[in-house]
């Protein structure tokens, strides 16, 4: 179909619908589509646009480069979103675990652990975007997550008090010293990289 024939085509379709309008109302939806399809003289059915999705396709066609970037970004951040959803789901279990075994402030205790886990996850994200393997950070995240993201959920409050207390105190210490170690390690590495550029 060319721009010169669009007007004639539109007129023919309108005349066809006007002449068979009453009959179309008696058809099933599938038969109605088949009737309209027969009215499309000479058009390849594969090239007939679907008005329900044509607008979206047009939008993507005009912004294909940005759409590809957005899709790639969504794929990249999906693990972070999954981790965030898991942390939100586990929050009440984590608070209950701290409250059952210690007198510490549960918001501060769990919050420090969450900040450390999130900081490691974001660090891994940017390291992978830079096409570098995050040295040790992934192992730390897996180790801490495998302990602290399932024990509070599985715990029924009947574990030995010394064990629960030890795990909570360890999580606080690991969070604080782990955060400092992570910060020092990556800042030193970035400093060495910058010095190497100016040599």
């Amino acid at each position: 179909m060319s721009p010169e024939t669009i007007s004639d085509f539109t007129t023919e379709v309108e005349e066809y619908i006007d002449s068979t309008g009453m009959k179309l109302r008696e058809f099933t939806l599938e038969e109605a589509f088949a009737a309209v399809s027969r009215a499309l003289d000479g058009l390849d059915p594969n090239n007939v646009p679907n008005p329900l999705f044509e607008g979206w396709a047009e939008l993507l066609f005009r912004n294909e480069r940005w759409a590809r970037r957005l899709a790639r970004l969504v794929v990249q951040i999906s693990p972070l979103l999954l981790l965030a959803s898991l942390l939100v789901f586990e929050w009440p279990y984590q608070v209950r675990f701290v409250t059952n075994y210690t007198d510490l402030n549960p918001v501060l205790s769990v919050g420090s652990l969450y900040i450390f886990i999130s900081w490691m996850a974001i660090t891994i994200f940017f390291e992978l975007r830079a096409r570098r393997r995050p040295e040790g950070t992934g192992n730390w995240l897996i180790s801490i997550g495998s302990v602290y993201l399932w024990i509070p959920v599985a715990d029924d409050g009947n574990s030995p008090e010394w064990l629960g207390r030890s795990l909570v105190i360890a999580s606080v210490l690991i969070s604080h010293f782990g955060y400092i170690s992570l910060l020092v390690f990556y800042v030193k590495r970035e400093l060495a990289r910058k010095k190497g550029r100016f040599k």
Side-chain angles (χ1 to χ4, degrees):
M1 180 176 291
S2 64
E4 292 77 12
T5 61
I6 288 179
S7 179
D8 294 339
F9 166 74
T10 304
T11 302
E12 291 177 8
V13 171
E14 289 177 349
E15 290 176 353
Y16 178 84
I17 292 176
D18 288 341
S19 64
T20 60
M22 295 303 292
K23 294 181 181 178
L24 282 174
R25 291 189 184 93
E26 299 173 358
F27 289 172
T28 64
L29 185 60
E30 184 177 350
E31 291 170 336
F33 277 124
V36 173
S37 178
R38 287 194 298 270
L40 302 175
D41 278 338
L43 271 185
D44 181 358
N46 293 325
N47 294 326
V48 178
N50 186 327
L52 185 61
F53 304 105
E54 187 180 14
W56 290 100
E58 180 68 20
L59 180 63
L60 289 176
F61 179 75
R62 293 181 178 181
N63 304 278
E64 187 172 4
R65 185 178 63 177
W66 293 105
R68 289 182 182 276
R69 288 183 179 179
L70 179 61
R72 186 163 55 247
L73 180 62
V74 169
V75 171
Q76 290 174 343
I77 67 173
S78 56
L80 294 179
L81 296 177
L82 180 62
L83 177 61
S85 301
L86 179 63
L87 294 180
V88 170
F89 168 78
E90 290 211 354
W91 177 264
Y93 297 98
Q94 299 285 346
V95 169
R96 184 192 65 183
F97 187 77
V98 174
T99 304
N100 285 343
Y101 296 105
T102 70
D103 296 326
L104 298 176
N105 186 314
V107 175
L108 294 179
S109 302
V110 178
S112 64
L113 179 65
Y114 273 30
I115 289 173
F116 182 46
I117 290 176
S118 301
W119 191 257
M120 285 193 295
I122 294 172
T123 300
I124 293 172
F125 170 75
F126 282 109
E127 284 294 292
L128 293 177
R129 284 196 68 179
R131 301 180 185 277
R132 290 192 298 265
R133 184 178 180 273
E135 300 179 17
T137 312
N139 296 333
W140 269 96
L141 180 60
I142 293 172
S143 300
I144 293 174
S146 63
V147 174
Y148 288 101
L149 294 185
W150 76 271
I151 289 181
V153 176
D155 180 71
D156 57 1
N158 295 321
S159 300
E161 185 175 348
W162 66 268
L163 179 60
R165 179 182 293 273
S166 299
L167 285 171
V168 173
I169 294 175
S171 72
V172 174
L173 295 176
I174 290 173
S175 300
H176 285 80
F177 288 105
Y179 176 79
I180 294 173
S181 301
L182 186 73
L183 185 64
V184 170
F185 175 80
Y186 281 100
V187 168
K188 285 180 64 176
R189 198 181 69 173
E190 292 303 315
L191 181 61
R193 184 177 293 112
K194 284 189 174 293
K195 287 181 177 179
R197 292 176 184 172
F198 291 101
K199 284 184 179 181

